[in-house]
Amino acid sequence: MARASSGLAYPERFYAAAAYVGFDGSPNSNDKDIGSRFSNDVALILYALYQQATVGPCNVPKPSLWNPVEQGKWKSWKQLGNMVSAEAMRLFVKILEEEEPGWYSRASNSVLEPVTDVQMNHNAIVEPIIENRNSFAERKTISAENGGLIETQDIDVVSEGLGSVVVYDQWTSPPITGQCPKGRYEHAAAVVEDKMYIYGGNHNGRYLSDLHVLDLRSCTWSKVEAKVESKSVERPSPVNITPSAGHSLIPWENKLLSIAGHTKDPSETFQVKAFDLQIGTWSMLNTYGKPPVSRGGQSVTLVGTTLVIFGGQDAKQTLLNDLHILDLETLAWDEIDAVGVPPSPRSGHAAAVHAERYLLIFGGGSHATCFNDLHVLDLQTMEWSRPTQQGEIPVPRAGHAGVTVGENWFIVGGGDNKSGASETVVLNMSTLAWSVVTSVEGRVPLASEGLSLVVGSLNGEDISFGGYNGHYNSEVNVLKPSHKSTLQSKIMEGPVPDSVSVVHNATNPTRDLESEFEVGQEGKIRETAIDNFEPMKSKGGETSEHILAMLKAEKEELESSLNNEKLLSLQLKQELADAEARNTDLYKELQSVRGQLASEQSRCFKLEVDVAELRQKQQTMETLQRELELLQRQKATSEQVAINAKQWQGSGGVWGWLAGRTPQNADDA
């Protein structure tokens, strides 16, 4: 997955990393220094990746067995096969960053491009916005870092929210107290009852298993001392909850479900862990069916009572684009073979659901490429499509985070092979139109990879945490979307759907006179009332009564469309009821066939038993037959012996022969 960071782009960043490690271009540059700084395995893979990036695949002869060092280097290089140079460069830098996270700052003296490291939680400058809606105006003095005054502007100030959130559509850093978690990325976050939970992640190349909670009311961190539930009463051995990164955290009932993720010793199949919020224990969920292979960097989306899992990267670093569904009520797995062209295999993408029917997939990355494509899966027909995007399409990125607020999908962070994504963008999921909410500057956590993003339950703020942009972050930042950015009918460049209408009120410059219509899954339409309307002439010479008449006509037309949609909805409900009835009949028929099959299986089993008994009796009969034949032969032999003995006795025996008697004479005598 592409790493988001500022500074040099590739390949200059790779050569800077290679020079930092000690490779100056010669075949045996600083081998002793490299071997002393890194373990043998790391030193060998760094050497192999450097050779693969600068020379190409290994085509040199295998060295002699008498030189084990050169043979080990040759073997490591040979194992890379035909890996492309760009991917070898990326892996080289990634391994170095995991071994020495601060290498870039230490080597920055030799890098021509300066790197600005701005910490959002310690930045006292708040840029103003030119918007005044649902707030009161205040003259705000913005101070520069050197203490001088820049200018005073109007900003939006609100008295509610998380901590010191005082502006709309701008990221701010509220004051946070308590035990802050260590910096991390590829962790998971979720909000339950005004509390944000942070679990796991990656810090300095090590996977974590700690659980922290941020109280959104008091802005206080605390660590959750989680316990591990035993397997059973008979077997009190604990369940092994391994540290992980790249997993997903989903609130469900009174539990937090940790789904998949990379581990040090990965299992072969998908794992689902559950943390009980009431008793504070971890346990493993026993699922049924064929689970997916283990992975990390996937997307997990809660749709009704099911989890939709897409893509990711398995333990062998193979990118995936398979689709699986886990029913949380039955805990049964189902692999989906959707029609259409699916997204290419990827990891580090973002997913959202619209109208409880459409699954949206945006961005992500392969081993050497990042994407900014948008794919939609119809969860009813299970068909993939790639619609046309409108507005300001975001740059390619991976490792970003997203949340939905109404029909708007906010995307924050991520990056490509060159830099982090600085824009916070929003997609209207009804019109598929993009717009930029705000931007950040410098090397800040909001422009990093692997950060988390959730929606606060108090006032609907977007809350980000953590991320990696050359170092591991633990900052909390808050964005309070303005009324403008959360409107479903936000004005965009390009075509505007017929179902959206916005009219500005000329009598009040601080308010928009708007009629907002929101068409939901079943065709429901919500109309926003028109306030503070005074009859007057418009710029085009039309009276306000004429405009009102046009709006009424449009309202009647929309009500007619609503009635048609309701009729269509009734028809669809009837068809659904018929389909469910047919499904019930088929299920009963299936149960009947299953019963008949069970009876036939039982009958076949009895027949097999009977056949086995008959075979045994046949073998017994054959044995008795052989014994009878043997007895008959013995009887015949005995009878022959008796006859011979009788003849012998009648002949007088040997004495008669000596006396000169013949058998005939003996008979006469």
Side-chain angles (χ1 to χ4, degrees):
M1 180 171 53
R3 186 170 298 280
S5 58
S6 59
L8 291 177
Y10 287 90
E12 287 78 8
R13 188 174 182 85
F14 161 73
Y15 289 119
Y20 175 80
V21 171
F23 293 110
D24 57 4
S26 60
N28 297 311
S29 57
N30 295 334
D31 279 354
K32 294 182 179 180
D33 182 54
I34 297 171
S36 62
R37 292 170 58 186
F38 304 100
S39 63
N40 291 336
D41 294 339
V42 174
L44 285 175
I45 191 61
L46 287 176
Y47 166 81
L49 289 171
Y50 178 80
Q51 293 295 104
Q52 190 80 8
T54 57
V55 179
C58 180
N59 294 319
V60 299
K62 185 176 182 179
S64 172
L65 294 175
W66 297 105
N67 194 340
V69 175
E70 292 300 321
Q71 190 181 37
K73 293 164 63 176
W74 180 90
K75 185 177 180 181
S76 298
W77 184 12
K78 191 72 174 180
Q79 287 177 346
L80 298 181
N82 295 323
M83 178 185 292
V84 297
S85 177
E87 185 175 353
M89 291 181 179
R90 282 191 61 262
L91 290 177
F92 185 96
V93 175
K94 182 177 181 180
I95 291 175
L96 177 58
E97 288 176 343
E98 291 179 349
E99 292 294 323
E100 296 189 16
W103 77 269
Y104 191 80
S105 60
R106 289 193 291 271
S108 60
N109 292 331
S110 61
V111 180
L112 296 179
E113 179 182 349
V115 178
T116 303
D117 193 358
V118 180
Q119 296 292 334
M120 291 295 292
N121 273 358
H122 303 286
N123 184 5
I125 299 177
V126 179
E127 297 181 0
I129 60 174
I130 308 173
E131 181 187 2
N132 183 18
R133 187 184 303 276
N134 298 334
S135 62
F136 58 89
E138 179 187 74
R139 300 294 292 179
K140 179 73 173 182
T141 301
I142 309 298
S143 300
E145 293 183 358
N146 58 7
L149 299 181
I150 300 178
E151 58 181 339
T152 59
Q153 300 182 26
D154 290 336
I155 65 171
D156 283 348
V157 181
V158 293
S159 59
E160 73 239 67
L162 182 66
S164 60
V165 180
V166 295
V167 293
Y168 288 108
D169 287 344
Q170 292 291 329
W171 287 100
T172 58
S173 302
I176 304 294
T177 60
Q179 182 183 358
C180 180
K182 65 172 61 177
R184 66 192 66 199
Y185 79 117
E186 290 185 342
H187 54 280
V191 171
V192 178
E193 295 181 354
D194 302 336
K195 294 182 179 180
M196 181 177 71
Y197 291 85
I198 300 294
Y199 172 64
N202 188 327
H203 175 82
N204 200 20
R206 295 177 177 85
Y207 298 142
L208 306 174
S209 62
D210 51 348
L211 180 64
H212 299 263
V213 58
L214 174 64
D215 192 314
L216 301 181
R217 294 184 179 274
S218 61
C219 299
T220 303
W221 278 112
S222 60
K223 185 177 181 180
V224 180
E225 298 297 335
K227 298 174 289 185
V228 179
E229 187 180 57
S230 300
K231 291 184 178 180
S232 63
V233 178
E234 294 80 8
R235 295 183 177 183
S237 57
V239 176
N240 185 21
I241 303 298
T242 57
S244 62
H247 50 283
S248 304
L249 197 64
I250 302 294
W252 175 251
E253 294 179 344
N254 61 337
K255 296 181 177 64
L256 290 175
L257 303 182
S258 176
I259 301 155
H262 295 299
T263 58
K264 183 178 180 180
D265 298 317
S267 61
E268 295 182 357
T269 58
F270 214 85
Q271 290 187 348
V272 181
K273 299 177 287 189
F275 179 74
D276 194 310
L277 295 171
Q278 295 181 349
I279 60 178
T281 58
W282 281 106
S283 61
M284 299 292 296
L285 287 186
N286 294 324
T287 58
Y288 305 94
K290 183 181 179 182
V293 297
S294 62
R295 65 191 68 194
Q298 73 291 325
S299 63
V300 179
T301 310
L302 179 63
V303 183
T305 61
T306 60
L307 295 178
V308 182
I309 296 95
F310 172 77
Q313 187 179 40
D314 64 11
K316 299 179 181 179
Q317 295 187 350
T318 301
L319 294 169
L320 308 168
N321 66 342
D322 52 348
L323 188 66
H324 298 265
I325 289 181
L326 175 63
D327 191 321
L328 294 179
E329 293 183 340
T330 62
L331 296 180
W333 284 106
D334 188 12
E335 183 174 3
I336 304 301
D337 187 13
V339 298
V341 180
S344 59
R346 63 190 62 199
S347 176
H349 54 279
V353 62
H354 174 51
E356 293 295 311
R357 173 173 176 176
Y358 301 101
L359 178 71
L360 284 73
I361 302 293
F362 171 73
S366 62
H367 293 299
T369 306
C370 291
F371 309 109
N372 65 342
D373 49 355
L374 178 67
H375 298 263
V376 177
L377 174 66
D378 190 329
L379 296 174
Q380 290 188 6
T381 62
M382 289 301 170
E383 181 177 2
W384 285 107
S385 62
R386 187 174 178 179
T388 302
Q389 305 179 62
Q390 306 291 335
E392 304 177 36
I393 301 177
V395 297
R397 64 186 69 192
H400 47 285
V403 293
T404 57
V405 180
E407 290 195 344
N408 292 283
W409 187 16
F410 289 82
I411 301 292
V412 178
D416 54 16
N417 292 327
K418 298 180 180 179
S419 62
S422 59
E423 299 87 2
T424 299
V425 296
V426 60
L427 174 69
N428 187 299
M429 294 185 288
S430 293
T431 62
L432 298 181
W434 289 99
S435 60
V436 177
V437 178
T438 185
S439 298
V440 294
E441 296 181 359
R443 197 177 177 188
V444 297
L446 292 165
S448 61
E449 172 194 356
L451 75 168
S452 61
L453 186 67
V454 296
V455 177
S457 56
L458 289 176
N459 296 290
E461 303 96 346
D462 295 347
I463 306 172
S464 73
F465 172 80
Y468 179 84
N469 57 356
H471 68 277
Y472 300 91
N473 302 301
S474 61
E475 289 80 4
V476 175
N477 293 285
V478 177
L479 171 72
K480 185 174 181 62
S482 68
H483 182 56
K484 179 180 178 181
S485 65
T486 55
L487 275 178
Q488 175 193 349
S489 56
K490 181 175 181 178
I491 299 178
M492 297 296 305
E493 295 180 1
V496 179
D498 295 336
S499 61
V500 179
S501 176
V502 179
V503 180
H504 295 281
N505 183 6
T507 62
N508 191 345
T510 63
R511 295 181 61 101
D512 284 337
L513 178 63
E514 52 199 5
S515 178
E516 176 188 352
F517 300 97
E518 178 181 2
V519 181
Q521 184 179 5
E522 298 182 358
K524 297 181 179 179
I525 301 177
R526 186 186 68 232
E527 178 181 359
T528 304
I530 304 176
D531 298 329
N532 296 335
F533 189 89
E534 295 180 3
M536 62 172 294
K537 294 286 184 178
S538 65
K539 291 183 180 181
E542 295 180 345
T543 62
S544 57
E545 288 82 359
H546 185 208
I547 297 176
L548 184 59
M550 292 176 58
L551 291 176
K552 288 182 178 179
E554 185 178 357
K555 177 183 177 182
E556 292 176 357
E557 183 179 355
L558 290 174
E559 288 178 349
S560 177
S561 300
L562 174 61
N563 293 331
N564 294 333
E565 292 293 333
K566 287 182 178 180
L567 291 176
L568 180 60
S569 177
L570 291 176
Q571 293 177 359
L572 293 176
K573 287 183 178 180
Q574 184 61 37
E575 292 178 359
L576 179 62
D578 296 340
E580 289 178 350
R582 290 194 299 269
N583 185 30
T584 302
D585 295 338
L586 291 175
Y587 181 76
K588 291 180 180 179
E589 185 177 353
L590 176 62
Q591 292 297 105
S592 177
V593 172
R594 285 178 176 174
Q596 295 176 4
L597 179 61
S599 300
E600 291 296 327
Q601 289 177 344
S602 177
R603 181 170 169 271
C604 290
F605 178 75
K606 291 180 180 179
L607 290 176
E608 290 177 356
V609 172
D610 294 341
V611 169
E613 292 178 353
L614 290 175
R615 286 179 179 174
Q616 185 176 4
K617 290 179 180 180
Q618 183 181 3
Q619 293 176 357
T620 304
M621 291 294 293
E622 292 176 354
T623 303
L624 293 175
Q625 183 68 26
R626 288 194 296 269
E627 292 179 354
L628 179 60
E629 291 176 355
L630 179 61
L631 291 174
Q632 288 176 349
R633 288 195 296 271
Q634 291 177 353
K635 179 181 178 183
T637 303
S638 300
E639 290 177 351
Q640 185 64 36
V641 170
I643 293 173
N644 293 337
K646 185 177 180 180
Q647 290 177 354
W648 180 262
Q649 292 176 0
S651 63
V654 67
W655 299 107
W657 180 77
L658 291 174
R661 294 182 181 178
T662 63
Q664 182 67 32
N665 294 333
D667 292 339
D668 293 341

